[in-house]
Amino acid sequence: GNSVTQMEGPVTLSEEAFLTINCTYTATGYPSLFWYVQYPGEGLQLLLKATKADDKGSNKGFEATYRKETTSFHLEKGSVQVSDSAVYFCALSDRQGVSGGYNKLIFGAGTRLAVHP
Amino acid sequence: GAVVSQHPSRVICKSGTSVKIECRSLDFQATTMFWYRQFPKQSLMLMATSNEGSKATYEQGVEKDKFLINHASLTLSTLTVTSAHPEDSSFYICSARPATSPIGGYTFGSGTRLTVV
């Protein structure tokens, strides 16, 4: 079945350091890929997404490229801030065919990021 | 943008009682909503898919008689945890997708932390 694998955390960085959080997936069909962020005690917020191979999603300095050949969607940021401290979830939406109906989101285990001043 | 409101944000109940959690789409109609459960420092596990006007679809291993879902209107889904026990203590999150959003454009509620004592 479809699945998402993320690197284990926690990831601890100093402010302005470069961030990479690895994410790989297994899926059939035409999945869309997402990164969600969860701040303490809150729900999830969509950070970025990519719907087809070679698409690059970007938002708030974060980027991720949909790599079909390596089945990856690694999250990167060139210079992290303390306010980026949160849990990051990689997810895929298993679309049923090209124009399928609603889709389930399948989440990775989440990676906790802690950024220190 | 699309907003999903979840209420209450926190609830403490006695063992054996029932608790109802509401999930509302504030500015869009949602024929489908999703209920997730999140244990501390773990990922989100899909519990069930709530369908407006019909029965919910439960994931394997989720007790439908314990977690009652009602989706009576296009803007409201409720999850009732019946005869709650301490092991039901968890963070519950709902999500929905506007019909006009592209595939995967889910919006999440802020979550409900349930503590059963």
Side-chain angles (χ1 to χ4, degrees):
Chain A
N2 297 342
S3 65
V4 176
T5 303
Q6 281 181 244
M7 64 186 288
E8 288 190 26
V11 173
T12 304
L13 296 173
S14 297
E15 206 165 24
E16 300 184 2
F18 184 86
L19 168 71
T20 299
I21 300 178
N22 289 339
C23 171
T24 57
Y25 68 90
T26 301
T28 56
Y30 309 93
S32 294
L33 302 174
F34 308 86
W35 277 100
Y36 283 86
V37 58
Q38 184 180 34
Y39 298 101
E42 298 184 12
L44 272 67
Q45 300 175 27
L46 177 64
L47 182 60
L48 54 84
K49 69 176 190 287
T51 57
K52 62 183 186 298
D54 298 326
D55 270 2
K56 177 186 283 188
S58 61
N59 185 26
K60 299 180 181 179
F62 291 89
E63 292 184 340
T65 301
Y66 189 144
R67 301 286 188 199
K68 190 172 183 180
E69 63 275 14
T70 54
T71 61
S72 65
F73 193 55
H74 304 322
L75 181 68
E76 297 182 335
K77 186 174 185 181
S79 176
V80 294
Q81 305 300 313
V82 173
S83 57
D84 293 327
S85 299
V87 180
Y88 292 82
F89 292 94
C90 185
L92 71 80
S93 174
D94 55 344
R95 181 164 34 151
Q96 304 300 315
V98 177
S99 59
Y102 75 84
N103 314 102
K104 299 178 186 178
L105 274 178
I106 298 171
F107 288 90
T111 302
R112 184 174 300 276
L113 170 66
V115 181
H116 298 289
Chain B
V3 177
V4 172
S5 174
Q6 192 172 337
H7 179 80
S9 58
R10 291 179 181 270
V11 58
I12 300 173
C13 71
K14 292 185 177 181
S15 187
T17 62
S18 296
V19 173
K20 180 183 285 188
I21 303 170
E22 292 188 348
C23 181
R24 292 180 184 273
S25 57
L26 296 187
D27 49 3
F28 66 96
Q29 294 183 335
T31 55
T32 304
M33 292 185 176
F34 302 89
W35 287 97
Y36 294 86
R37 182 175 182 176
Q38 185 182 31
F39 290 102
K41 298 185 179 181
Q42 295 189 26
S43 188
L44 281 74
M45 300 300 297
L46 180 65
M47 298 175 64
T49 303
S50 173
N51 306 297
E52 188 268 335
S54 65
K55 293 182 179 180
T57 304
Y58 290 82
E59 295 299 302
Q60 192 172 6
V62 177
E63 300 177 60
K64 64 177 71 174
D65 294 331
K66 181 165 190 61
F67 298 100
L68 299 179
I69 291 173
N70 184 284
H71 195 155
S73 77
L74 288 171
T75 60
L76 174 64
S77 175
T78 61
L79 168 68
T80 301
V81 183
T82 63
S83 186
H85 292 285
E87 58 265 30
D88 298 324
S89 298
S90 190
F91 194 56
Y92 294 87
I93 306 176
C94 69
S95 75
R97 179 173 70 88
T100 54
S101 284
I103 294 293
Y106 299 89
T107 299
F108 285 79
S110 56
T112 297
R113 183 163 301 285
L114 169 64
T115 303
V116 184
V117 298

